[in-house]
Amino acid sequence: MTLRAVVKGVGHYLPDRIVPNSEFEATLDTTDEWIRSRSGIERRHFAAEGQTTSDLAVNAARAALENAGLQPDDIDAIVVATSTPDLTFPSVGTMVQGKLGMTRGFAFDVQAVCAGFVFALSTANAMILSGQARRVLVIGAETFSRIMDWTDRSTCVLFGDGAGALVLAAEDGTGGVTDRGVLSADLNSDGRYKEMLYVDGGVSTNGQSGKLRMQGNQLFRQAVEKLATTADTALEKIGLTGADVDWIVPHQANLRIIAATAARMDVPIERVILTVQDHGNTSAASIPLALSVGVARGQIKQGDLLVAEAIGGGLAWGAVVLRW
Ligand code: UT7
């Protein structure tokens, strides 16, 4: 018997305000056509004034709990992937815990920028396999609209706000690849690439939260190679290849990156969950959002083999293979 971390519920939340590409044409030297053709993005959601990352996260968490048929006090731990916390501390995780009215368990944040959800999922899986927790809420939640430089057309048209959540629970499996749950993970980072994507402020640097800076086309080249390699590596660890995958659930940064990565893995684009057109790049929220939307659309079904892959600031990148 092998312990597995199995998905019991999924949910998401997007703020009400939808901003089409055309809205940027009034203030920036850009066009809907440029944004669509270079990134695949058509619209994104922005949080309302006063709406924080933990507000988005708790809504996604409630949806996932309802989907799982569980109450907040059934949960042992909350792991939130975010780079845009409400405050420097405490963690968004503990804020979600408080807002859910949870009186037990523990909560914390994981910060690996756009790869955050893959790192959080791998961490939650490790906690379940080690017996530290039996039921874990894993959340990706971001308000990247708060760290945009609205005068920088090369970044501010690309990002959006949102949250997605999974409930993972311990279940006995056989140890084989037909088990439901997390089957393998591959995590990487390389701090030499810091300049490619970073925020130019922070507590110990200048006491400000700063704005996002990105060398987009250089990151693009790194992204395709690193994403395909990490996804293939995670699959190889359990003796599988792209041919075994029902769905790639990629970080939704750019349709061209997503398509090129799938092509390198020999997976047809029809087997990729795409939400980038509607959400833009929501950083750590993009994979759980895509999982939740993929299930709601009837694309992802129980028993499907999924590979989730992401890259972001650090650089940090990785992939998780799971059977839904
Ligand atoms: O989530 C973390 C991971 N993030 C990523 O992986 C993002 C990776 N990068 C990308 O998605 C793409 O590189 C971008 C979408 C950011 C840019 O696409 P690109 O095809 O790499 O364009 P580029 O940066 O090479 O820029 C091409 C041109 C430039 O003009 P010149 O130098 O050719 O005259 C830019 O100044 O497009 C210009 N440009 C714009 N034009 C209209 C940049 N932003 C805009 C804009 N509207 N919003």
Side-chain angles (χ1 to χ4, degrees), residues 149 164 169 217:
D149 173 351
N217 52 12

Side-chain angles (χ1 to χ4, degrees), residues 30 34 38 114 153-154 216-217 219 251 254 256-257 281:
T30 191
W34 190 95
R38 296 294 176 122
C114 298
R153 67 177 184 170
S154 70
N217 52 12
L219 181 52
H251 170 47
N254 185 311
R256 290 152 58 217
I257 294 176
N281 182 346

Side-chain angles (χ1 to χ4, degrees), residues 31-321:
T31 59
D32 172 48
E33 204 284 317
W34 190 95
I35 302 167
R36 268 173 207 257
S37 61
R38 296 294 176 122
S39 72
I41 298 165
E42 298 172 21
R43 60 193 71 81
R44 75 287 290 136
H45 293 245
F46 284 154
E49 212 181 313
Q51 198 174 27
T52 64
T53 296
S54 71
D55 294 331
L56 309 190
V58 77
N59 282 318
R62 286 195 182 108
L65 284 169
E66 194 184 330
N67 186 239
L70 294 171
Q71 299 300 316
D73 273 339
D74 295 325
I75 297 298
D76 302 318
I78 301 175
V79 187
V80 177
T82 190
S83 300
T84 45
D86 300 29
L87 301 171
T88 301
F89 74 77
S91 67
V92 173
T94 55
M95 291 189 186
V96 170
Q97 187 187 24
K99 287 180 183 184
L100 286 174
M102 264 173 76
T103 54
R104 57 181 293 276
F106 61 95
F108 60 96
D109 292 356
V110 164
Q111 210 269 54
V113 202
C114 298
F117 193 77
V118 165
F119 281 62
L121 196 52
S122 175
T123 303
N125 179 51
M127 291 196 307
I128 287 175
L129 300 196
S130 70
Q132 268 191 303
R134 287 193 65 81
R135 293 194 185 116
V136 184
L137 249 179
V138 193
I139 305 170
E142 302 277 20
T143 47
F144 261 51
S145 63
R146 308 294 194 238
I147 52 167
M148 289 299 111
D149 173 351
W150 298 111
T151 65
D152 178 7
R153 67 177 184 170
S154 70
T155 54
C156 75
V157 301
L158 301 174
F159 292 86
D161 302 336
L166 294 184
V167 178
L168 286 184
E171 243 178 41
D172 287 327
T174 63
V177 295
T178 56
D179 286 351
R180 290 187 64 209
V182 176
L183 300 178
S184 119
D186 180 61
L187 303 182
N188 311 269
S189 63
D190 188 336
R192 289 173 300 175
Y193 293 107
K194 182 214 145 198
E195 297 301 319
M196 256 179 219
L197 179 53
Y198 68 101
V199 168
D200 64 2
V203 178
S204 71
T205 305
N206 59 4
Q208 293 173 7
S209 50
K211 301 295 178 203
L212 181 141
R213 307 293 168 202
M214 181 167 78
Q215 298 167 354
N217 52 12
Q218 294 195 43
L219 181 52
F220 191 111
R221 281 191 285 276
Q222 292 292 331
V224 175
E225 192 271 320
K226 288 184 163 45
L227 289 171
T229 302
T230 188
D232 281 338
T233 303
L235 287 163
E236 269 165 37
K237 286 183 183 181
I238 49 171
L240 301 178
T241 69
D244 300 301
V245 170
D246 293 300
W247 295 104
I248 298 180
V249 187
H251 170 47
Q252 310 279 324
N254 185 311
L255 184 57
R256 290 152 58 217
I257 294 176
I258 293 169
T261 304
R264 275 176 89 131
M265 293 176 66
D266 277 331
V267 175
I269 194 75
E270 292 72 28
R271 288 201 271 127
V272 181
I273 303 291
L274 295 174
T275 55
V276 65
Q277 66 282 1
D278 296 324
H279 303 164
N281 182 346
T282 57
S283 186
S286 86
I287 288 177
L289 272 166
L291 288 168
S292 184
V293 169
V295 170
R297 284 182 190 152
Q299 293 175 300
I300 299 172
K301 297 193 176 66
Q302 191 166 315
D304 282 355
L305 187 81
L306 274 48
V307 58
E309 34 90 342
I311 187 166
L315 295 177
W317 68 101
V320 170
V321 180

